[in-house]
Amino acid sequence: MTSVADEVAAIFAAKGESAYYGEDVSQLEHALQAAQCALRDHATEALVVAALVHDIGHLVEGAPEDIADQGVDARHEEVGQAWLAARFCKEVYEPAHLHVAAKRYLCATDAEYLGKLSAASVQSLALQGGPMSAEEQAAFRANPHFAEAVRLRRYDEQAKVKGLATPPVAHFMAAVARCLKPLNA
Ligand code: FE
């Protein structure tokens, strides 16, 4: 049986070279840079894994059986959510699922964050619903995965550096294997 770590490694090997929308890095470089940011920030192992796989929805969109089974549309965080929730513990998939909400939250609450957004990220903000209203911010803060989602979003923003050296995918596979969905869940 193929392990989840094998699946993740195979997806990055097959599609990781595809472009990260509007940025100077590939999907694989972006994933590895985000995971490296989490390691350097002494994040939990689950958040390191979440950083590695947070955009995997972009790479598994070609997997129609998953999409049909889950009845989700093509928005990448929803596709990613279905794929991740079937495989990982919630400490991985919840922050990953919330990474777009966390961007909308930070844009509403942190002027410095907003000022540092890349051009492509500013452009997609409007499509994602723009900065959160005060009501949305309060609801988001009440989410048990709020803090980890915001941390992940900051790694995401830092993970767009052309040519930055990172560990390879293999470096993170033991952590992936330790953050799987519990058997009884
Ligand atoms: Fe990302």
Side-chain angles (χ1 to χ4, degrees):
M1 208 176 80
T2 312
S3 73
V4 172
D6 289 342
E7 276 188 281
V8 169
I11 288 166
F12 280 127
K15 298 188 183 166
E17 291 312 310
S18 55
Y20 185 76
Y21 178 73
E23 311 287 354
D24 275 341
V25 291
S26 69
Q27 287 284 345
L28 176 59
E29 288 171 312
H30 177 64
L32 291 172
Q33 288 183 23
Q36 177 165 261
C37 283
L39 278 180
R40 289 181 172 168
D41 193 40
H42 307 290
T44 61
E45 187 164 65
L47 196 59
V48 172
V49 173
L52 182 74
V53 298
H54 75 275
D55 277 327
I56 207 156
H58 288 304
L59 306 182
V60 297
E61 269 168 319
E65 69 278 12
D66 270 26
I67 294 165
D69 286 353
Q70 304 293 339
V72 296
D73 66 25
R75 288 192 305 149
H76 86 271
E77 73 273 20
E78 301 300 337
V79 175
Q81 162 73 358
W83 195 89
L84 293 173
R87 291 162 176 80
F88 287 98
C89 64
K90 63 177 182 300
E91 290 75 16
V92 171
Y93 71 73
E94 291 287 3
H97 182 220
L98 294 170
H99 83 277
V100 171
K103 173 182 170 182
R104 295 184 56 230
Y105 176 83
L106 285 168
C107 286
T109 59
D110 184 339
E112 199 183 332
Y113 173 88
L114 184 58
K116 285 183 182 165
L117 276 190
S118 66
S121 209
V122 169
Q123 196 178 26
S124 58
L125 174 65
L127 297 171
Q128 291 159 343
M132 279 186 178
S133 67
E135 218 166 65
E136 289 172 315
Q137 291 167 38
F140 189 50
R141 274 194 296 268
N143 186 303
H145 301 282
F146 160 74
E148 299 293 77
V150 167
R151 286 179 78 173
L152 172 56
R153 188 70 215 191
R154 293 187 187 280
Y155 308 148
D156 189 7
E157 256 19 278
Q158 292 168 50
K160 300 170 181 178
V161 183
K162 193 177 181 177
L164 185 74
T166 64
V169 171
H171 182 81
F172 298 99
M173 289 301 104
V176 164
R178 284 190 293 265
C179 293
L180 301 181
K181 183 183 169 110
L183 285 177
N184 56 355

